[in-house]
Amino acid sequence: MERWTRFVLHHRFVVLGIWIVAFVVAGTAASRLSDLLTNRFTLPGTDSQRAETILRDHFGQRSTGAFTFVVQSDGAPAVSLVPDVRAAAARATAELPTGRLVSVLPLTDKVIAAQIVSDLEPADAKGHTAAMRKAAGSIDGARTFLTGQAATEHDLDPVFASDLKRGELYLAIPIALIILIFTFGTLSFLLPFAFALVTIPTTLGIIWIIANYMELTTYLQNLVSLIGLGIAIDYSLLMVYRFREEIRNGAPRDEAIVTMMTTAGRAVVFSGTAVAIGLALLLFMPLPFMRGFGVGGLIIPLVSVVAALTFLPVLISLVGTRLERVRMLPKRMMERRADTEHGFWARLAHAIMRHPWPVAITTSAFLILLTLPVLTLQLGPGSNEGIPKRLEAVQGLDVLAAAVGAGATAPTAIVIDTGRAGGVEDAKVAAALGRLKAGLDADPQVARVDFQPSSAQNVDPTGRFLNVQVVGKSDYGKPESLDFVTRLRDHIVPAAGFPAGTRVLAGGGPPGGKDFLDLTYSWFPWLVVAVLLATYVLLVRAFRSLLLPLKAIVLNLLSIGAAYGLLVVVFKWGAGERLGLISYDQIEGWIPVMLFAMLFGLSMDYEVFLVSRMREEWDAGATNEDAVVVGLEKTGRLVTAAGLIMFAAFMGFVAGSIVGLQQFGFGLAAAILIDVTIVRSLLVPAAMKLFGQYNWWLPEGVARIVRVPSSPLGQHVPHLRPTGK
């Protein structure tokens, strides 16, 4: 690292020039990235995806690309409005590419529904929602609503954007600026923004190349910006503080940078790799939209590590001392904070060293207590119930739900492949179809079964495929709907007794939701194990210890488990209602996966910063207790400040009005707050005091395997820390 740093400093202007060119080129590419991103959602290899393929290829429709035009009469009988509804729906259909108006039916005396199908993905269909509403116009004596999955996504997009913008502008950014100014105390607080200014566009530029060959999700840009800024703050804090410490000790500028890189820089390399491992978990998920997050999650920490090894030391060499001269806080406060050996973190560290058992037992018990509600965690694929009721699509859904059932806009599509053209005329198929309909009618969750043998929506032109639409009484993501899918596949379809060679597939809303959960959580546990193993090996190299990596992983799992438990308490049990959070009995299925990937990496970030400094002190001859105390003194403030900034950023999601975003933001914010306060500030030093010299044990055989110097027991000769230091 020393040789590399001197090389970079010797060619500082060349390095800076390369980053400027990279910023310009990558920034240009990144500006075109949005056009290549999509919100398409697929479930490869599942029954629901196979059903969707048949619906698209043979019926010219997708269950998720359909619209429902709902009309609620103000007084006149619904049947009298059918001609007007048909005309309005036809005008709306004309605005939808591949759109077809397949039915106009009175549902009650006051409600009529017109069904419009297309073979478009929701991400493509939603763009036509406004034009369809305008073309449909109004109907005298009635209220009109255009709803369906695509219409709901269209109405939600501006809500997402507004919620994120409000959370960032009025909560996250102001709090982050205040914490940065207070933590740095000088104009050096600008360095993280300069760091992020080169790493985020560079990452997005690389992703632009990948997006030309791989389907990536729209929200990937948000993830890269969020993680990129967090990493920029973390690395800048750690390295600037070490640079400041060396300058204060009298080192020349370039020598201070060399020391900074051989200590803090080394920690950054391992930290960035740990973050990349955690987020790369998503790259191996079987869902394309999660793989997209994995691409960004893998690239942004790696680009940040490269920038930390090149751009940041050059930037500090050019402007670091100038920025450090401009104080943002009173001189007395700066001097008092510079005395880390007599400040808050020193007092806290010594208190923990005196009472390690009570601290370890109390904090561990508290975290386990927070984790216990996970036992009642209920996952769901998402639902229309957790979104604002003011949206037209949601209001239309509510009218439909009152008329026939909440599952009307996302029905189950039972696709029957008879195996040959004209197969629908087979007497055995017809008899089985009758038994299927009887079984569906008898199910308590079924509100209506739609099948007309003469309709092109139900029988394809070749007579090979059948499409039976089943409207549920509950919203597609509710437990009742998911239980219905299990009964349908395991009991109702087998009991129908379709002849050999006939294949029956269940697609649409509830089956798609169940397949999403089953597919996600059949892979997730194994990928978690792989991440834990890879992280352990990495940390053995970073800490030169067998015990510390294991301790880090266990504590990370505790903080993530506590966050999962708090999600149950706040949302399922309703404890967050007083804070304006939406109470909902399910946690959306993507959230635990994303939380683990992001939190495991970020939490390990803080662990590497803290323990690397402790290891440095131990190697310099400190006792175990002194190494832990100095490590907490020197990095406790940085880890806490970095964590609080990320806490503020994540709370920006909580300020929104959509339950999924609230759950995601709260889970991230709660875990980070727990991690930088209870875990890193209390439990880590207490555990390390109790483990004693075993913290630093690395047998020679293991050391050879991971290619680092060994750290045997009994050969450490500590020096006493001078009194008063």
Side-chain angles (χ1 to χ4, degrees), residues 398-457:
D398 289 342
V399 172
L400 273 180
V404 291
T409 60
T412 295
I414 303 176
V415 177
I416 303 167
D417 178 6
T418 64
R420 58 186 176 86
V424 298
E425 304 294 338
D426 189 308
K428 292 181 179 179
V429 171
L433 180 61
R435 291 188 292 270
L436 174 68
K437 291 166 66 178
L440 292 170
D441 288 334
D443 192 275
Q445 179 56 29
V446 174
R448 193 175 80 244
V449 179
D450 291 335
F451 180 80
Q452 298 293 328
S454 59
S455 171
Q457 186 187 10

Side-chain angles (χ1 to χ4, degrees), residues 133-427:
R133 285 171 175 163
K134 183 178 180 180
S138 60
I139 296 176
D140 292 339
R143 299 172 64 206
T144 63
F145 312 88
L146 187 66
T147 188
Q149 181 174 331
T152 302
E153 288 189 13
H154 168 272
D155 292 353
L156 277 176
D157 281 349
V159 178
F160 271 116
S162 174
D163 286 352
L164 290 173
K165 183 177 180 180
R166 185 171 64 248
E168 290 173 358
L169 289 181
Y170 302 120
L171 182 66
I173 292 177
I175 292 176
L177 279 174
I178 291 171
I179 295 173
L180 278 175
I181 292 172
F182 183 77
T183 304
F184 278 101
T186 68
L187 269 184
S188 293
F189 84 91
L190 296 173
L191 288 175
F193 297 102
F195 190 95
L197 191 64
V198 298
T199 56
I200 293 175
T202 301
T203 299
L204 293 176
I206 296 172
I207 290 173
W208 174 82
I209 298 173
I210 298 172
N212 281 278
Y213 304 97
M214 178 180 177
E215 192 172 278
L216 300 176
T217 177
T218 302
Y219 301 112
L220 179 56
Q221 295 179 96
N222 301 86
L223 176 79
V224 167
S225 298
L226 185 64
I227 299 297
L229 182 59
I231 290 176
I233 290 169
D234 291 352
Y235 295 175
S236 299
L237 274 171
L238 185 69
M239 295 176 75
V240 169
Y241 258 72
R242 189 53 187 257
F243 172 73
R244 181 183 292 175
E245 182 181 334
E246 297 304 318
I247 291 292
R248 191 179 295 122
N249 290 337
R253 182 196 62 188
D254 282 5
E255 291 305 314
I257 293 174
V258 169
T259 303
M260 173 192 78
M261 293 299 293
T262 55
T263 54
R266 179 181 181 276
V268 160
V269 172
F270 285 107
S271 168
T273 308
V275 173
I277 288 173
L279 290 167
L281 170 148
L282 300 173
L283 194 59
F284 298 96
M285 292 295 290
L287 302 167
F289 90 97
M290 282 193 179
R291 285 196 204 119
F293 287 124
V295 169
L298 177 65
I299 295 173
I300 183 63
L302 298 181
V303 170
S304 298
V305 167
V306 173
L309 295 178
T310 55
F311 177 75
L312 198 53
V314 166
L315 193 63
I316 291 174
S317 75
L318 295 175
V319 300
T321 52
R322 295 185 182 93
L323 294 177
E324 283 291 283
R325 291 193 195 106
V326 183
R327 291 195 306 270
M328 306 293 292
L329 298 175
K331 183 177 180 181
R332 178 174 294 183
M333 180 181 292
M334 293 288 291
E335 291 174 347
R336 188 166 60 248
R337 290 173 54 193
D339 184 13
T340 57
E341 296 174 2
H342 298 91
F344 167 79
W345 291 102
R347 294 194 299 273
L348 176 65
H350 286 296
I352 294 170
M353 294 302 102
R354 289 193 298 271
H355 309 287
W357 278 112
V359 172
I361 292 172
T362 303
T363 51
S364 298
F366 181 63
L367 291 175
I368 293 171
L369 181 66
L370 291 180
T371 304
L372 287 177
V374 169
L375 298 175
T376 65
L377 178 68
Q378 191 174 57
L379 297 174
S383 170
N384 290 321
E385 294 186 12
I387 54 182
K389 297 295 184 182
R390 65 180 184 274
L391 305 179
E392 178 181 326
V394 179
Q395 293 172 359
L397 172 62
D398 289 342
V399 172
L400 273 180
V404 291
T409 60
T412 295
I414 303 176
V415 177
I416 303 167
D417 178 6
T418 64
R420 58 186 176 86
V424 298
E425 304 294 338
D426 189 308

